[in-house]
Amino acid sequence: MPSFQTSPGTRDILPPHAGRWRALTDVFADTVQSAGYECIIPPMFEDLGVFLRLGEATDVVTKEMYDFVDKGDRHIALRPEQTAGVCRAFAQHRPVTPWKVWYSGPNFRYEKPQAGRYRQFDQVGVEVLGSDDALLDAEVISLAWQFFARLGLAKVELVVNSLGDAPERGAYIDALRAHFESRRGELSEESAATLARNPLRVLDSKRPADAAAVASAPRISSFLSAESASHFAAVLAGLDALGVPYRVNEMLVRGLDYYRRTTFEFVSLSLDGAQNAVGGGGRYDGLVEDLGGPATGGVGFAIGVDRTLLACDAEGVFGTGAVGIDAFVVDVTDGMAALRLTEDLRAAGYTADRAFDGRSMKSQMKAADRSGASFAVIVGADEAAAATCTVRDLSSSEQVTVPQSGLVAHLAATLGTRTPRRNPR
Ligand code: AMP
């Protein structure tokens, strides 16, 4: 029989890590829903044309797209990110503005797999469509900031920049092209190749050969119109008012072409250099129009779940994702007491597990220990005859025998009451 392994760049997210993944999404949802953002679930694949709007100079589009012709002869692509799909949805459904949405889910990019860089990776993010207000940019950025803080991350740095509106950005790109062309001889081979496609990305180069040419490159700030400069100043004033610390870095250009004005990135100082961006975003006025909708301002961000959890590991924060079991029922009679008691405990809001297959007392007690449960609830022949159970505290080994009908009340006295999941039988 053949045996199969995951494809390069994909992983099984196994328990307990997958639980931590879910918990992260819950914290994210709670953070952004507190600000009125509602969940959107766009499809995982779209017409290729939707993603081509991300820009011809974008690696995500030119080199990394998972695209194919389907059985109906449609040219389809798996989404490399979710902003384009959300903008397509906006253009299609024309909701009331401002439209504030959040999402979570996988994206696909044919990248060279390495630690923190995968071909299928998850993001959580928000998008707001239908407003140009700079204070909205500040709100969006601060939500991401709060989210990192709620996870317990302390070593995340916010870097911000403004790339100006389309004409300013265009003039800046021309100036950059001229600058780098005049120093082409000095550039690394990779940057010389990037220059032809996207001079902005040369600014991103961390290669030593490029350092001098990058350092002497023109700065975007001298290309900003008065309007763009005041928009950027208002974003920074908003962040100051909220006490969100930031660093302005004029070299921050980001990988996607559609950004206008505000761009930002969150960098984990506890992750390795090349893959240390845990999230990023910006304003993308014009994208909805490119997708056939009305002229609409937009701003948002996406946070990489994989890398954020790597940053949590590096900082030793945000738990393990393991499901805590309150009680493990050990039944060495016919198993029916365990069937009923676990059901009662779950209905009362506790987490309860048990063994199957008529295992021995020793084996079931081992399973109880392995489960990490706070209590073992033991039903032997004597307890079954008297309709009682012995509740053993697995950390202190103290135990007490109580009526089965009083088990929930007994646990409530130690663990506190929980929100019932359903009415007990
Ligand atoms: P982007 O959509 O390129 O702006 O990326 C936003 C965030 O998604 C990045 O800061 C990363 O945390 C994460 N990310 C992007 N590409 C990958 C990838 N191939 N593997 C893992 N995470 C990624």
Side-chain angles (χ1 to χ4, degrees):
M1 291 288 268
S3 78
F4 296 104
Q5 305 269 310
T6 44
S7 286
T10 69
R11 294 144 306 142
D12 295 311
I13 314 292
L14 299 171
H17 195 57
R20 199 176 176 215
W21 203 274
R22 285 281 296 269
L24 177 142
T25 309
D26 289 347
V27 173
F28 185 76
D30 188 63
T31 305
V32 297
Q33 285 179 177
S34 79
Y37 291 70
E38 292 184 291
C39 182
I40 180 170
I41 308 178
M44 275 193 228
F45 60 82
E46 303 250 5
D47 190 295
L48 174 70
V50 170
F51 304 119
L52 294 184
R53 300 299 179 279
L54 297 177
E56 279 150 23
T58 305
D59 281 355
V60 164
V61 172
T62 51
K63 299 202 244 159
E64 299 166 2
M65 197 88 88
Y66 275 91
D67 63 313
F68 57 97
V69 175
D70 74 5
K71 292 184 171 61
D73 258 349
R74 290 178 195 88
H75 201 159
I76 297 292
L78 300 185
R79 67 182 183 206
E81 53 98 73
Q82 301 194 47
T83 306
V86 170
C87 288
R88 193 267 315 130
F90 180 87
Q92 183 173 338
H93 305 287
R94 308 286 169 105
V96 174
T97 58
W99 198 42
K100 299 170 88 174
V101 293
W102 72 269
Y103 57 76
S104 70
N107 307 297
F108 306 87
R109 297 182 191 174
Y110 195 80
E111 301 202 72
K112 193 163 165 248
Q114 48 198 294
R117 187 171 291 282
Y118 312 100
R119 290 183 176 167
Q120 176 179 331
F121 62 96
D122 266 49
Q123 289 179 334
V124 290
V126 305
E127 313 291 352
V128 188
L129 291 163
S131 169
D132 295 328
D133 196 329
L135 293 186
L136 176 59
D137 304 23
E139 171 180 291
V140 160
I141 296 171
S142 89
L143 284 173
W145 183 258
Q146 284 166 36
F147 168 64
F148 290 125
R150 281 186 67 183
L151 295 180
L153 289 170
K155 294 185 190 140
V156 171
E157 188 186 39
L158 165 62
V159 186
V160 288
N161 191 20
S162 173
L163 289 174
D165 255 328
E168 303 143 42
R169 186 184 152 114
Y172 180 55
I173 290 176
D174 289 345
L176 276 181
R177 184 175 290 113
H179 168 80
F180 288 124
E181 284 294 354
S182 73
R183 307 187 64 157
R184 177 177 271 276
E186 289 171 38
L187 294 180
S188 64
E189 217 175 291
E190 294 91 334
S191 287
T194 310
L195 178 56
R197 282 185 293 118
N198 189 348
L200 272 179
R201 294 314 302 266
V202 179
L203 286 181
D204 256 356
S205 166
K206 309 226 162 47
R207 287 175 284 273
D210 301 322
V214 168
S216 59
R219 294 287 194 257
I220 181 67
S221 52
S222 44
F223 288 77
L224 293 186
S225 66
E227 221 187 341
S228 292
S230 83
H231 183 95
F232 191 40
V235 175
L236 300 184
L239 293 175
D240 289 335
L242 293 171
V244 176
Y246 57 84
R247 181 165 64 84
V248 175
N249 178 2
E250 292 198 49
M251 298 299 171
L252 178 72
V253 295
R254 310 223 354 98
L256 302 165
D257 276 355
Y258 53 59
Y259 289 113
R260 301 282 177 266
R261 296 191 180 177
T262 317
T263 52
F264 53 91
E265 193 155 80
F266 293 92
V267 172
S268 165
L269 304 177
S270 53
L271 289 182
D272 197 33
Q275 257 67 244
N276 65 359
V278 285
R283 199 160 253 293
Y284 44 83
D285 307 340
L287 187 56
V288 172
E289 225 172 336
D290 281 351
L291 287 160
T296 308
V299 58
F301 64 74
I303 290 172
V305 173
D306 313 73
R307 279 196 215 164
T308 300
L309 287 174
L310 286 175
C312 289
D313 289 340
E315 290 199 34
V317 296
F318 198 57
T320 62
V323 178
I325 294 287
D326 295 314
F328 193 99
V329 181
V330 170
D331 180 349
V332 287
T333 62
D334 61 0
M336 290 302 279
L339 188 72
R340 278 187 293 99
L341 290 175
T342 48
E343 171 83 7
D344 289 348
L345 289 168
R346 293 166 193 163
Y350 298 94
T351 49
D353 200 1
R354 55 163 295 186
F356 291 95
D357 301 317
R359 301 266 170 93
S360 68
M361 168 74 99
K362 195 170 158 204
S363 156
Q364 291 195 43
M365 285 305 292
K366 252 197 195 151
D369 274 331
R370 245 195 333 262
S371 77
S374 309
F375 294 95
V377 175
I378 304 159
V379 182
D382 293 348
E383 285 95 346
T388 59
C389 54
T390 297
V391 183
R392 182 180 171 92
D393 181 328
L394 287 174
S395 47
S396 69
S397 299
E398 276 168 25
Q399 58 183 51
V400 46
T401 299
V402 300
Q404 290 181 12
S405 57
L407 175 61
V408 166
H410 178 79
L411 283 194
T414 341
L415 295 174
T417 50
R418 299 275 167 82
T419 309
R421 294 197 173 88
R422 50 188 180 270
N423 293 331
R425 274 173 297 114

